[in-house]
Structure formats: structure tokens, C-alpha cells
Amino acid sequence: MNYFDYLQLFIYLLLLVALTPLIGNYMFKVFDNKPFKTKGIFSWLESGIYKIIGVKPDSQQNWKQYAFALLSFNLFGFLFVFVLQLIQKDLPLNPQHLENVSWPLAFNTAASFMTNTNWQSYAGETTLSYFTQLIGLTVQNFVSAATGFGVALVLIRALRNKLSSELGNFYVDLTRSVIYILLPLSILFSVFLIGQGVIQNLSAYKTVTTIEKVQQVIPQGPAASQIAIKQLGTNGGGFFNANSAHPYENPTPLSNFLEMLAILLLSASFVYCFGKMIGSVKQGWYIYMTMLILFVVGLGISVYSEYHFSPGVFEGQELRFGTINSLIWENATTAASNGSVNAMHSSLSPLSALIALFNMMLGEIIFGGVGAGLYGMLIFVILTVFIAGLMVGRTPEYLGKKIEAFEVKMAIMGVIAPSFIILVFTAIACMTDAGLSSLSSKGPHGFSEMLYAFTSAGANNGSAFAGLNANTNFYNLMIGIGILVGRFGVIIPVLAIAGSLSEKKLIPVSSGTFRTDNFTFVFLLIAVILIVGALTFFPALSLGPVVEHILMITGKTF
């Protein structure tokens, strides 16, 4: 590394921290207003949406009603995108006359984009029409991110409620998340990306003759609008197969830097918003510090491994912007459940690959997806408070709410659901010809290909290790199922926790209250996160990147 690399790292982290309270304060103003009192340039759009869908903005839902509305809306989104792919050949905005998508791939893609995962078993420029990309995928990028905001908001309201079952309204949360946060920021970011050279058109593909006198097809399309929300909404699905390594998605060093920043920006800012909404900015900052410490340590290990064990090895890295930008992006995208890539993770050194895997295996809580990262971290907060209470003999509580058996059971379910997908589905792939036949590598690296695919699915990340041929019926269906379980296997327990906590009375702070706004709690929280992660996944990681690292030191590579 040189001084310029260190400077980039410093500026990246500095801007992330500096922008957090600015964006977080804005989020607080959007989400903390009383129903239907938000004013601004988009207020007319908000009121119009409520009239069209027949929702009273001041109506409240309990956790079961909220869950039903959320699941119903997401089911409709899934079916819409699924059917859209099956009939895209006969729909407009298809200048390349692309064929209809097979139903297993359509199932996988619909599940992926509906859940904010954006795993892609296909090449966008050869598989999906402009209509499918615009009306199907880009729309889901907005509403799936807004769904994450909504679930987190329910949990926040539960923590500050007093003996109430009213937890907001899903359709109001969805609408405000889109029109006041995701839409305006995406419009601004899209305009910036177009200025940098990201394409935005509806033209047919261009055939050109290269300087080597060879004809080449240059894809076109409305890329900028999807790229902006894919980064800001922690979606990650690329318009092109090469994702953010493609110059039409990520053309300049400035676009690369700001796209990396956008990956974490809203998730990080929402943690500050959480502190404001519960009336304790200090609580928000300590959770923020927990996430930041885990992110910086993981990034440090990746940087050390790549520069120490693989110096001068550039295969699969982003050569336009340097190795350091590949590593920042790798850690940001796997920490934030974004999944976009500007380098191939299969080409990382084994320890760097281990960090990418571990970031996802922890439950995408290191900032995580928008909203999803916060409620995932709060699951671990509940477990930490419970364990600390057992250690000191006190009734566990968090922010004045008693943590009892039901909350702990639901929290454990939220941890187990994605873990089950990662470990069991990888084991099934290892034992079947359908799973093994898609590998491009043997040995521990081949195992890592399968482990990464199901980790990405269970954690709703969407990034790929590369090398694995995932566009088969086996992987499309298995990964699609894993994506659904990884998303709703966490959301439903979180909503149930919110419903239970919301109806509890607030306990006044006393001398016996276990403090959750100091560095002791940060240390305990990190310890619980790492211990749970290590106990659950260390055997699997040992068979993959750990063994590969040891063999690499002895001179054997895969």
C-alpha cells in the first residue's frame, strides 16, 4: 500500500461518519412525524398514493396486521416480476427481441429482487428486456429497501411505546421511505452517474468494429436509474453481467468512490435515526461504533491478506482503480447486504474471501441492508442483554423493556433461519451431482464456491464468488428458496418481538439497570456476535478458505 491508498481509506471512513448525522437527521424528520403531516415537494405524491390505494395515513396496525400487509405486498411483487419474465418476449421495450425466461430462473430472480437480495444467475444484457429491468427489477429495488425500513421502524416504535399495540402502518412506511428518501436521492445520484458516463437510454445494442477489425456488440439500456437505487437501497443487482466492474455502470474513479460510499450511507445513517427516535442519540452511536469496529477490523484483515499473501496478483481485481478499491468495495458490499461487485471475489486471497463470507454469516449486521442491518443488530442486542442479565443475576431489559423468554426465542429463530440455509443447503449441494457439477474449481476453493452461494442467499446479500454455474434448475430453486427463508425467517420473528415489547410497560432507569450506552456493552455485543458466528460457521470456514490459505502458504493453489 502507498500513502494514496491510506488516504482513500481515511477519506472514505471520514465521509461515512460525517454524513451519518446529516442523513440520519433527515430520516428522523421523515419517519418521526405524526401521520400525514410531512410537508415538502413530494407531499402531493404521498397524499395521492394514499387516495389511490385507499389507505388512511393515520390508521395504525398491530404486528400481525403489519406482517400480513407486508407479506401480501411482497407476494404480489414476487408474482408480478415472475410473470413479467415469463412473457417479456411479447412486451414492449425489447429491441433485442430477448426470449422469455425459463420458470426456474424467473422464480429465482423474482424471489431475489423482492427480498432485496438481487442474486443474479443470469447476464442482464442477454436475458432481460428493458421493460423487465425497468418495471420489474428497478421497482422492486425501491420497495424491497422500503420494506426493510418498515420492519426496523416497527421495532423502534415498540421500544418507545407504552402498553400499546399500535406499531404504524406498513403502507405509510413504504410510501414515505420511497418518496422522501429513496426516490429523491436516487434521482440526484442517477443524474450524477449520467454525468460520469453511465448510460441511460432505450436504444438497441450497437455493433461496432474494433481496432482489431473484429465486430463487437455494445449493450445499451437504462442503466443509471437502476445503478443509483441498487447502491443506495443496498440492492446490488447489476444492469450488466459484470456488475460494477462494467464501465457503463462504473466509469470513473469518482463514480467508483461515491458508489462505494452509497453502499453504506443509508444503512449507517439509519442507526443515527434510531438513536433520535428512541430519544437517546448516545444509544445509536454505540451501536454505530459496534458496526464500525467490525467493519474496520474486517477491512484491515482483507487489506493485510491481499497485500501480504498475494502481492502483485491482480487477476480478478479492479485494475482501473487499484487493489485498495477492490477491497473497500468487497468489505462494504458484504457488510451491507448490497452484493454489487467491482472485482471477482473468487480471485481474492483466501483470508479476504473468509472475511467476505464472515461478514454475511454474521447476519448482515455490520450496517447491513437499509433497515435490515439495524433490526438484525437489535436481535443480537437482545441476546447480549439476556446473556449479561444471566451473568450478573438481573432481569434483562433494554431501553426500559423487559427481555423475557418469548423475545429470546424469537431472536434465536432470527439467527437460526439464515444459518440453517447456509449450512444445510451447502451440505445438500456437496452430496448431490447437481450441486457438484456446477463447480469450476476443486478442493477447498470449490467448496467455498458452494458455501458462498448459499451464504449470499441466506444472508440476502446477492454477491457471487464467481466460478460457480448457478443458472441450473438445482441452484435456481435451492438459492431461491434460501433467499425467501433468509428474508422472512428473520422479518417475522422481528415483528413478533416488536409486538411483544410494544405492549410492555417502560421500566424507569435505576441503579440496577444494565447500561447499554457505554464501551462495556459494545465489547459484550461484539463478543456475542463473534462467538455466535464462530461457533456456527467455523467448521464450514475451516473446510473452505482456512484450508485453502494453509495450502496456499505451502505453494498449492486452486
Side-chain angles (χ1 to χ4, degrees):
M1 287 182 69
N2 54 41
Y3 290 114
F4 185 68
D5 291 336
Y6 286 113
L7 181 62
Q8 286 188 84
L9 274 172
F10 175 76
I11 293 175
Y12 182 81
L13 295 173
L14 178 65
L15 282 177
L16 179 65
V17 175
L19 290 173
T20 290
L22 297 177
I23 305 296
N25 266 317
Y26 175 71
M27 289 180 171
F28 171 72
K29 293 176 181 178
V30 170
F31 292 131
D32 202 53
N33 280 342
K34 298 299 181 182
F36 206 54
K37 289 187 179 180
T38 306
K39 295 181 180 180
I41 190 171
F42 291 108
S43 59
W44 62 271
L45 181 57
E46 180 185 9
S47 60
I49 290 172
Y50 296 150
K51 290 178 181 178
I52 292 171
I53 63 178
V55 169
K56 295 180 179 180
D58 57 349
S59 63
Q60 296 286 309
Q61 297 171 326
N62 60 34
W63 81 267
K64 293 180 180 178
Q65 293 169 328
Y66 199 102
F68 179 78
L70 183 151
L71 293 173
S72 300
F73 181 84
N74 280 269
L75 176 61
F76 173 79
F78 166 80
L79 293 175
F80 179 76
V81 177
F82 179 69
V83 172
L84 202 63
Q85 295 173 84
L86 298 181
I87 62 173
Q88 75 169 6
K89 181 181 178 181
D90 301 315
L91 296 174
L93 297 179
N94 186 9
Q96 299 308 116
H97 307 291
L98 298 176
E99 296 293 325
N100 296 331
V101 179
S102 66
W103 77 263
L105 178 57
F107 165 79
N108 180 283
T109 304
S112 181
F113 278 78
M114 179 265 289
T115 57
N116 200 244
T117 305
N118 292 44
W119 169 274
Q120 296 172 289
S121 296
Y122 61 89
E125 59 265 51
T126 60
T127 308
L128 297 182
S129 68
Y130 296 162
F131 191 87
T132 302
Q133 296 252 34
L134 282 171
I135 306 302
L137 306 191
T138 303
V139 171
Q140 288 303 307
N141 283 345
F142 280 96
V143 296
S144 64
T147 297
F149 275 132
V151 176
L153 288 169
V154 167
L155 191 52
I156 293 170
R157 292 173 186 134
L159 289 169
R160 67 182 191 179
N161 276 356
K162 299 177 183 178
L163 302 174
S164 172
S165 63
E166 296 183 346
L167 293 167
N169 186 297
F170 170 72
Y171 298 105
V172 173
D173 292 338
L174 185 82
T175 301
R176 289 186 173 169
S177 296
V178 171
I179 68 174
Y180 290 111
I181 297 173
L182 298 171
L183 185 60
L185 288 178
S186 294
I187 291 172
L188 292 174
F189 199 33
S190 295
V191 172
F192 163 79
L193 290 175
I194 292 170
Q196 291 295 296
V198 178
I199 62 171
Q200 181 75 14
N201 60 56
L202 299 175
S203 304
Y205 294 1
K206 310 295 183 183
T207 301
V208 300
T209 302
T210 69
I211 58 175
E212 297 174 335
K213 307 301 181 183
V214 176
Q215 286 198 332
Q216 180 178 351
V217 176
I218 306 297
Q220 302 293 301
S225 55
Q226 184 168 316
I227 306 312
I229 185 57
K230 95 168 185 180
Q231 303 298 60
L232 289 166
T234 59
N235 296 281
F239 193 88
F240 302 106
N241 188 42
N243 206 282
S244 293
H246 198 292
Y248 277 177
E249 287 199 22
N250 184 17
T252 69
L254 182 58
S255 72
N256 184 78
F257 183 86
L258 292 183
E259 285 186 36
M260 288 193 301
L261 185 63
I263 290 173
L264 296 179
L265 184 60
L266 294 187
S267 298
S269 300
F270 194 61
V271 179
Y272 182 87
C273 175
F274 160 75
K276 292 274 289 186
M277 292 187 71
I278 62 171
S280 175
V281 174
K282 192 175 181 181
Q283 291 277 356
W285 275 122
Y286 276 104
I287 289 180
Y288 188 95
M289 281 188 280
T290 302
M291 296 176 170
L292 188 63
I293 289 169
L294 289 169
F295 176 73
V296 171
V297 171
L299 178 57
I301 294 173
S302 292
V303 170
Y304 173 78
S305 175
E306 212 63 39
Y307 281 92
H308 183 76
F309 294 108
S310 304
V313 178
F314 302 118
E315 188 268 333
Q317 295 184 10
E318 179 48 87
L319 296 182
R320 292 179 298 159
F321 312 130
T323 299
I324 191 64
N325 283 283
S326 297
L327 298 177
I328 296 174
W329 196 301
E330 169 230 339
N331 279 268
T333 198
T334 53
S337 78
N338 178 275
S340 66
V341 294
N342 74 346
M344 296 301 102
H345 290 184
S346 181
S347 299
L348 296 170
S349 64
L351 289 184
S352 293
L354 184 148
I355 294 299
L357 279 163
F358 202 55
N359 284 344
M360 296 184 287
M361 288 172 170
L362 293 180
E364 295 290 17
I365 56 170
I366 309 174
F367 297 114
V370 288
L374 178 62
Y375 66 68
M377 178 60 83
L378 290 176
I379 286 177
F380 278 99
V381 168
I382 289 171
L383 293 177
T384 302
V385 168
F386 177 72
I387 293 170
L390 293 178
M391 292 170 62
V392 299
R394 294 175 181 168
T395 301
E397 61 184 70
Y398 182 59
L399 299 179
K401 296 294 182 89
K402 283 188 177 181
I403 305 300
E404 298 176 302
F406 179 79
E407 289 81 26
V408 175
K409 289 177 182 177
M410 291 297 103
I412 291 173
M413 286 182 61
V415 172
I416 288 177
S419 303
F420 174 86
I421 295 300
I422 294 168
L423 297 177
V424 174
F425 280 32
T426 301
I428 293 172
C430 289
M431 296 186 295
T432 59
D433 291 336
L436 295 172
S437 63
S438 289
L439 297 180
S440 64
S441 301
K442 304 298 182 183
H445 196 84
F447 176 77
S448 292
E449 289 179 2
M450 294 183 289
L451 179 64
Y452 196 106
F454 289 112
T455 301
S456 184
N460 294 147
N461 182 271
S463 64
F465 205 52
L468 181 74
N469 176 22
N471 193 11
T472 65
N473 288 346
F474 173 81
Y475 278 106
N476 278 328
L477 296 176
M478 290 288 285
I479 289 174
I481 293 169
I483 284 169
L484 294 173
V485 175
R487 177 72 160 180
F488 298 107
V490 178
I491 283 179
I492 293 175
V494 167
L495 292 177
I497 290 170
S500 176
L501 291 178
S502 184
E503 296 181 342
K504 294 183 178 183
K505 64 180 181 180
L506 287 171
I507 303 171
V509 177
S510 66
S511 58
T513 300
F514 178 70
R515 297 282 300 276
T516 56
D517 58 353
N518 53 34
F519 281 106
T520 300
F521 182 72
V522 170
F523 172 78
L524 285 173
L525 181 56
I526 291 175
V528 169
I529 292 168
L530 294 180
I531 290 171
V532 169
L535 291 177
T536 305
F537 297 111
F538 182 74
L541 291 172
S542 297
L543 295 174
V546 173
V547 169
E548 185 178 0
H549 176 74
I550 294 171
L551 292 175
M552 182 188 71
I553 293 175
T554 65
K556 185 174 179 60
T557 57
F558 296 89

